[in-house]
Amino acid sequence: MSVDASPSTVSQPTNLEAVARNGSRFRRMAVRIPTYLADVRENPAWLPMFMLARTMPGRRLHWALSAKYKPSQGQQDSMFGPLDASAVADALSSDGIFTGLQMPARIQQEIGNFARTVPCFGNFDRSLEFVAPRHREAEARFDRSLLSGHFFERSMRSPGVRAIQADPLLIDIARRYLGAGARLITTRIWWSFPTSGASEADRSLASLDKFHFDLDDWRMLKFFFNLVDVDEGTGPHVFVKGSHNRRKARHQYTLLVGHPADDVLDYYGADQAVTLTGPAGSGFVEDPFGFHMGTVPVTKPRLMMEVGFGVSRPSRRRFYGEPVLRK
Ligand SMILES: O=C(O)CCC(=O)C(=O)O
């Protein structure tokens, strides 16, 4: 298994409670409002999803009405080897997460080289363009902290990114878990950087340092890949096992998707928080309705890839993970 999530390495994010308590929850939400407004303008059907998909009755109803997937016999060759897609879907149903994906080294290296040479956009802002190895210099040039570097549609120039996105194992797992209507809704690669002075708004947009659940679609599945060696200092992703199918009422009937760590961990148990450290190329797949977050790197930058599946048509902007920024 490539992802380091064995019980001995599962850490309880002791400093996260303090981090999560800092700052206003509403300020974190406010930064997302321009994106929400754009979503509803682009697709009015987004609004009922946004209101109802956060409730367990709404989700269960949508799930019950969805077309079931009938897997065909035989499995197509995958770069991830002969993994049993049905066992992965079972793990997702019970825990909300499956760890143990490993991409070939040549693919990980190609994407790593791509991300070190092609300019990315700092803090999701297309006017803050720089190449990752010049991060410190870029912070000085733009006179602001740069917490993340996204590639948006540029990601698709990388043959490795395209190959992972198209790997038959991913859609097979997605259909088994989400149903026959599963479709690709996001592909992105991005850096998160050690930096001081990142604002609450920048951390919120980058989904860092606060447990939250995703509400981009009625039902979703996200594959994440660590594209550098990720240890505790590299800002690992954290997921709360079992939080995808059990939700206290206060976390359903609220517009907030982010909640303080003590609130989340008291309910599910601190021992359910899995910290996804692992070598370059390791990956995991999760139901992002479960509580999760990235953490801010402290020692070295983290390069990540996400391939997301859902059940509705995404906008082009959403596909590449681009929010609408308030100027
Ligand atoms: O950077 C991370 O690991 C977290 C990403 C995340 O929370 C998300 O895609 O919803």
Side-chain angles (χ1 to χ4, degrees):
M1 177 170 296
S2 55
V3 173
D4 194 355
S6 60
S8 59
T9 57
V10 169
S11 65
Q12 299 170 13
T14 47
N15 63 336
L16 300 179
E17 286 87 341
V19 171
R21 258 186 234 107
N22 288 338
S24 143
R25 302 160 79 184
F26 291 98
R27 238 182 305 133
R28 284 189 77 106
M29 189 178 107
V31 74
R32 293 174 180 265
I33 287 175
T35 306
Y36 295 158
L37 293 175
D39 284 334
V40 78
R41 268 196 303 268
E42 282 167 24
N43 176 13
W46 181 89
L47 189 59
M49 182 286 295
F50 185 71
M51 300 309 290
L52 298 176
R54 67 189 67 225
T55 69
M56 295 313 293
R59 298 183 73 73
R60 289 196 177 117
L61 183 64
H62 202 271
W63 216 289
L65 296 176
S66 68
K68 301 287 168 286
Y69 174 53
K70 293 193 194 71
S72 52
Q73 293 299 314
Q75 207 174 328
Q76 284 178 271
D77 282 350
S78 161
M79 73 166 79
F80 299 102
L83 267 181
D84 180 352
S86 130
V88 176
D90 288 347
L92 284 165
S93 298
S94 62
D95 294 339
I97 187 161
F98 172 84
T99 62
L101 300 170
Q102 179 70 40
M103 69 175 69
R106 69 185 158 75
I107 304 254
Q108 171 259 313
Q109 283 154 10
E110 186 275 324
I111 303 175
N113 290 339
F114 173 90
R116 284 180 192 89
T117 48
V118 171
C120 59
F121 301 109
N123 298 349
F124 297 93
D125 187 335
R126 285 182 185 259
S127 68
L128 304 176
E129 195 175 358
F130 64 101
V131 281
R134 300 247 165 100
H135 170 253
R136 286 270 173 259
E137 210 176 297
E139 289 198 313
R141 178 158 46 105
F142 297 121
D143 190 24
R144 55 171 301 176
S145 83
L146 296 170
L147 180 60
S148 64
H150 277 76
F151 292 85
F152 302 140
E153 68 285 348
R154 284 183 186 170
S155 309
M156 299 310 293
R157 291 190 208 155
S158 155
V161 166
R162 296 198 302 273
I164 292 172
Q165 182 202 61
D167 191 277
L169 181 72
L170 272 51
I171 183 71
D172 190 20
I173 293 172
R175 287 194 179 126
R176 285 170 195 265
Y177 185 68
L178 296 173
R183 58 198 293 176
L184 186 67
I185 61 165
T186 56
T187 298
R188 60 180 184 130
I189 56 172
W190 77 99
W191 290 99
S192 20
F193 297 100
T195 186
S196 55
S199 69
E200 185 77 23
D202 287 339
R203 279 185 291 135
S204 174
L205 273 181
S207 304
L208 295 179
D209 276 353
K210 182 141 200 170
F211 279 121
H212 63 278
F213 53 93
D214 293 351
L215 266 184
D216 303 347
D217 202 348
W218 281 98
R219 309 196 301 276
M220 293 167 68
L221 197 59
K222 282 186 173 181
F223 292 81
F224 287 106
F225 298 95
N226 296 316
L227 290 166
V228 294
D229 293 337
V230 172
D231 60 17
E232 294 278 346
T234 322
H237 188 91
V238 183
F239 182 84
V240 182
K241 266 170 49 178
S243 59
H244 65 306
N245 58 16
R246 200 160 62 87
R247 192 60 45 100
K248 63 175 160 183
R250 196 152 54 76
H251 289 168
Q252 294 181 53
Y253 300 99
T254 166
L255 283 181
L256 298 175
V257 295
H259 296 283
D262 50 3
D263 212 9
V264 172
L265 297 179
D266 284 354
Y267 186 66
Y268 297 103
D271 58 342
Q272 297 304 299
V274 184
T275 300
L276 284 310
T277 51
S282 60
F284 50 95
V285 49
E286 72 183 32
D287 178 338
F289 187 65
F291 280 106
H292 64 279
M293 68 177 160
T295 49
V296 176
V298 287
T299 53
K300 67 178 198 308
R302 182 188 65 154
L303 177 64
M304 287 293 276
M305 175 166 180
E306 171 192 309
V307 182
F309 291 87
V311 292
S312 314
R313 185 177 53 84
S315 70
R316 177 181 164 81
R317 175 179 53 73
R318 272 218 173 259
F319 190 90
Y320 296 114
E322 184 167 8
V324 176
L325 302 182
R326 191 186 350 223
K327 286 289 177 186

